[in-house]
Amino acid sequence: MAERYDVVVAGAGSAGATAAYFLAKGGLKVALLDMKPREGVGDKVCGDAIDVRHFDRVGIPHPTGPEVEGKFRGVKVFAPNERDVIIVEGEGYALNRYHFGQRLLSIAEQAGAEFFGEHHAFEPLVEGSNVVGVKVRDLRGRKVFEIRSSVVIDATGATATLRSKLPEGWWVSYRVPKEDLIAAYRGEIEVEEVPERERGYAVIYLNVEIAPGGYWWSFHKGGNYINLGLGVQAIPGNPNPRRVYEEVLEPRYRVSRRLHVGGGVVPTRRTVPCMAWNGFLAVGDAICAANPIHGGGIGPSMLGAKAAAEAVLEASERGDFTVAGLWSYHKRYHKLYGAKQAGLDVLRLYLQRLTNDDLDFIISSGVVSGEDIYDIGSRGRLASDTVRRVSSGLKLLRRPSVLRQLVKVKEYMDRAVELYSSFPDSPEGFERWYAEERALFNEVQTWMKGV
């Protein structure tokens, strides 16, 4: 291993491998480190679902062959009563997470990135107000050494191993509140028969008693295979997701074989406020890139990795790896996904306060259609036409409060999207922007308490 690289990427998951690919393709000397050996890359607890559109936006080939275990015609969202349903049309892949991860690693290496498996980048090297490299532990030889670089990219997942160890006074070292985390548990299983209503779809079941603050799912992966799991908000008093999986979810199916089971933590919220510093960027779950509503993180992680790579390549041309030189990463990511995420985070906060009766009513009454959900997912906004249609619907007379709440939610979602779309062009405007961001979400939280 060389002693110096242009970029060190810590973590070879979807975000890290994609970033390494674009950076190496751009001509930079890249070290890609992961705690797992080469043959372990891609082996991760995941829902395994991704919208087909992400691949065109990222600019890498769609998965083929063993990478694809199934294809979704859309998403079904069931009310807690499990009778009423909203169908959201739109194609998606049921990935084989391992083969997909191996392909991302392969294209990164083919582009010129150097991969080092069983190497743990456990601490950033900090000199003054700059990140200048990482401390690495070789898990095979038990050696500890340093790698220096112009830029370090933290792609270590929800733990944000490097970002979380930066000085507290740095904007980028933001600590994610526990209530913004989802504790998940899932199994890849073969069943005797996949229920007809789940065939060919990614199916989401809303039920605050089974999965408070989240949902449970059954994603059909072809044949008699499904990805079955749940996520619950990681706050005191909520049930253990593994116990719910074993005692409530699996017994609903006649299980022939368990291929893999496991759990993890997913941050589901808007991104951390600041994602860059002098010589440093973070991507993927390390910045909370997962969709706040459904927790899908593969697509936005790859989009963020592309944005980060473009910012680093631009900074390299100027020889400026300061926070100002890397600042365009924010603008790029928020245009691709981050602004939408902020709007969806408002919706997430609202949905987490609803009861099963509320959810049954909203879905059974037709207040929100599949087209509405598709539009919300694409733009992070609740369309004005939707609110106008709802306001004229006689069905709402039973619960006029729902209309008032939806109007307010739309207002806050619009404000969040606009705020993140107008992220400052330089670090000089960040503190003012961040004060506005805190004020907006404090206002949202205060209103939510009265809902």
Side-chain angles (χ1 to χ4, degrees), residues 256-376:
S256 304
R257 185 163 54 118
R258 295 175 184 84
L259 283 73
H260 188 276
V261 294
V265 175
V266 182
T268 51
R269 49 157 287 150
R270 60 200 182 278
T271 62
V272 298
C274 179
M275 306 182 292
W277 200 253
N278 299 317
F280 181 85
L281 297 173
V283 294
D285 280 350
I287 58 156
C288 306
N291 186 293
I293 301 301
H294 56 64
I298 302 173
S301 289
M302 293 193 299
L303 287 169
K306 179 181 181 181
E310 289 174 348
V312 172
L313 290 168
E314 181 181 82
S316 181
E317 291 179 359
R318 299 192 307 267
D320 180 6
F321 300 106
T322 65
V323 63
L326 297 169
W327 197 254
S328 66
Y329 169 39
H330 298 95
K331 302 288 287 186
R332 286 181 163 92
Y333 181 70
H334 291 324
K335 182 177 180 180
L336 286 169
Y337 203 84
K340 178 179 80 171
Q341 248 186 281
L344 293 176
D345 198 27
V346 172
L347 183 59
R348 186 259 311 186
L349 293 168
Y350 173 67
L351 292 175
Q352 285 180 332
R353 293 187 176 275
L354 297 181
T355 65
N356 278 348
D357 284 344
D358 294 329
L359 293 166
D360 280 338
F361 170 71
I362 290 173
I363 294 177
S364 66
S365 65
V367 168
V368 179
S369 68
E371 291 79 7
D372 295 330
I373 293 180
Y374 185 90
D375 188 58
I376 292 168

Side-chain angles (χ1 to χ4, degrees), residues 52 84 87 141 145 193 236 264 276 288 313 315 323 349 352 379 402:
V52 299
D84 298 304
I87 299 177
F145 57 96
E193 184 178 12
C288 306
L313 290 168
V323 63
L349 293 168
Q352 285 180 332
R379 301 171 57 242
V402 173

Side-chain angles (χ1 to χ4, degrees), residues 24 41 52 65 67 77 86 106 161 178 198 228 243 273 279 293 301 304 344 378 387 408 431 450:
V41 171
V52 299
E67 296 175 39
V77 183
I86 298 174
S106 176
T161 301
K178 288 185 178 180
E198 295 178 2
L228 176 70
R243 184 175 304 145
I293 301 301
S301 289
L344 293 176
S378 299
V387 175
K408 197 67 176 178
E431 290 186 339

Side-chain angles (χ1 to χ4, degrees), residues 412-426:
Y412 283 131
M413 290 178 72
D414 287 347
R415 286 172 60 184
V417 171
E418 292 300 327
L419 182 62
Y420 274 74
S421 296
S422 59
F423 194 87
D425 295 327
S426 69

